[in-house]
């Protein structure tokens, strides 16, 4: 949650916030806050306003293994959503997925109610890589690796950033590969492979930035982030300051 929004919940005026910020009287983990727009999670960080500890709000962070046939949305009139996979006591209108996966794409989704963090993770300046395991209905060759490195151009002129393609197996009818991208254009991975003459038949996200899909999760399962993964959250929160 933004620092100013959090302090406003404590009935602290905007004027008092600005004055305290200038005087270095707002401390996050013992360090002066740099901006009222700073992203804070008082469940993970100690926040002090003029020596008073602010309890605030503890955010939720979950990892979910999205199955095929489920849409990345909170609600849908016709199709099951990723939120439907959660028990009622965890479901919340504030909870949302960080980045979308297509209905037929499986794999890693992060769910949180920390809106600023989600924005930060998706912002191009942070260069958060996403890794996918992909199967296509044709032959992949070293020429495709070079094409992805240069940056695929869609038929409508859209230019993709350079991507890393690793071919795992290849045959005229079926190839398997790993692809790493740092952006999230609509149906990007599928369009990239179509641009080089093959169609994606299976797509699974295994990594989102420094987080990797838990091998112990089955499709449709979720769990809270563990201590190491929460430490990654803390690092992103520090960067936001």
């Amino acid at each position: 949650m933004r620092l100013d929004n959090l302090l406003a919940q404590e009935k602290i005026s905007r004027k008092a916030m600005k004055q305290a910020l200038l005087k270095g009287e707002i401390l996050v983990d013992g360090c002066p806050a740099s901006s009222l727009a700073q992203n804070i999670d008082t469940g993970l960080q100690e926040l002090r306003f003029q020596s008073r500890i602010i309890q605030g709000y503890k955010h939720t962070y979950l990892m979910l293994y999205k199955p095929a046939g489920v849409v990345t949305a909170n609600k849908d009139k016709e199709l099951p959503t990723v939120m439907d996979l959660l028990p009622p006591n965890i479901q919340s209108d504030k909870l949302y997925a960080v980045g979308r996966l297509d209905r037929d794409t499986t794999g890693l989704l992060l769910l949180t109610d920390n809106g600023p963090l989600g924005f930060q993770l998706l912002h191009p300046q942070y260069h958060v890589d996403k890794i996918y395991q992909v199967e296509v209905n044709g032959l992949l060759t070293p020429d495709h690796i070079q094409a992805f490195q240069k940056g695929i151009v869609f038929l409508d002129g859209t230019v993709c950033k350079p991507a890393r393609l690793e071919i795992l197996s290849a045959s005229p009818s079926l190839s398997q590969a790993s692809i790493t991208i740092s952006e999230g254009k609509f149906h990007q991975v599928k369009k990239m492979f179509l641009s080089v003459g093959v169609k994606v038949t299976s797509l699974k996200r295994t990594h989102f930035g420094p987080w990797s899909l838990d091998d112990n999760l089955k499709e449709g399962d979720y769990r809270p982030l563990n201590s190491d993964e929460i430490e990654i959250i803390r690092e992103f929160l520090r960067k936001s300051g």
Side-chain angles (χ1 to χ4, degrees):
M1 181 180 293
R2 278 175 55 119
L3 175 57
D4 52 359
N5 292 337
L6 197 156
L7 294 177
Q9 291 183 356
E10 299 293 316
K11 310 301 181 183
I12 298 171
S13 71
R14 187 80 181 180
K15 181 178 179 181
M17 293 181 207
K18 290 181 178 179
Q19 290 176 344
L21 183 71
L22 290 173
K23 293 178 181 179
E25 296 177 341
I26 305 177
L27 302 180
V28 181
D29 286 339
C31 299
S34 59
S35 167
L36 291 176
Q38 188 170 340
N39 185 16
I40 302 293
D41 183 343
T42 53
L44 303 178
Q45 300 166 293
E46 181 187 79
L47 173 63
R48 289 180 178 267
F49 181 85
Q50 297 176 337
S51 299
R52 174 164 66 99
I53 292 180
I54 304 297
Q55 297 296 337
Y57 180 82
K58 182 177 181 179
H59 288 287
T60 298
Y61 305 99
L62 305 174
M63 176 184 295
L64 182 140
Y65 188 165
K66 179 191 171 300
V70 174
V71 295
T72 308
N74 283 46
K75 296 180 181 179
D76 191 278
K77 294 181 179 179
E78 300 179 357
L79 299 169
T81 73
V82 293
M83 295 304 165
D84 294 330
L85 300 173
L86 304 177
N89 64 310
I90 292 181
Q91 293 180 12
S92 168
D93 291 338
K94 295 181 180 179
L95 202 63
Y96 74 101
V98 180
R100 298 178 61 85
L101 289 177
D102 299 339
R103 184 174 66 173
D104 55 350
T105 299
T106 67
L108 173 61
L109 270 181
L110 296 179
L111 305 176
T112 185
D113 55 0
N114 187 340
L117 177 71
F119 174 81
Q120 184 177 357
L121 292 173
L122 296 173
H123 198 282
Q125 78 179 76
Y126 293 100
H127 305 292
V128 176
D129 287 343
K130 279 82 69 175
I131 302 178
Y132 296 82
Q133 299 297 317
V134 60
E135 290 185 357
V136 299
N137 66 349
L139 182 65
L140 292 176
T141 70
D143 288 342
H144 293 130
I145 294 176
Q146 295 180 8
F148 276 69
Q149 287 176 340
K150 292 179 181 178
I152 296 294
V153 181
F154 297 156
L155 294 176
D156 63 3
T158 300
V159 180
C160 297
K161 291 182 179 179
R164 184 166 64 253
L165 178 66
E166 179 185 358
I167 300 173
L168 304 176
S169 66
S171 74
S173 60
L174 173 66
S175 296
Q176 297 177 320
S178 171
I179 178 174
T180 304
I181 62 174
S182 61
E183 52 189 347
K185 294 180 171 62
F186 184 66
H187 292 316
Q188 179 174 344
V189 174
K190 294 177 181 178
K191 289 181 178 179
M192 291 173 79
F193 282 99
L194 281 176
S195 296
V196 297
V198 293
K199 182 179 180 180
V200 171
T201 56
S202 176
L203 187 61
K204 174 183 176 181
R205 183 159 69 192
T206 59
H207 295 76
F208 184 94
W211 295 279
S212 58
L213 183 61
D214 188 337
D215 291 335
N216 294 317
L217 287 178
K218 298 178 181 178
E219 289 193 18
D221 286 350
Y222 78 97
R223 65 163 174 78
L225 296 190
N226 62 35
S227 58
D228 290 338
E229 293 160 343
I230 287 294
E231 186 56 37
I232 298 171
I233 297 288
R234 285 196 178 94
E235 180 60 28
F236 273 96
L237 291 170
R238 285 191 286 268
K239 289 179 180 179
S240 76

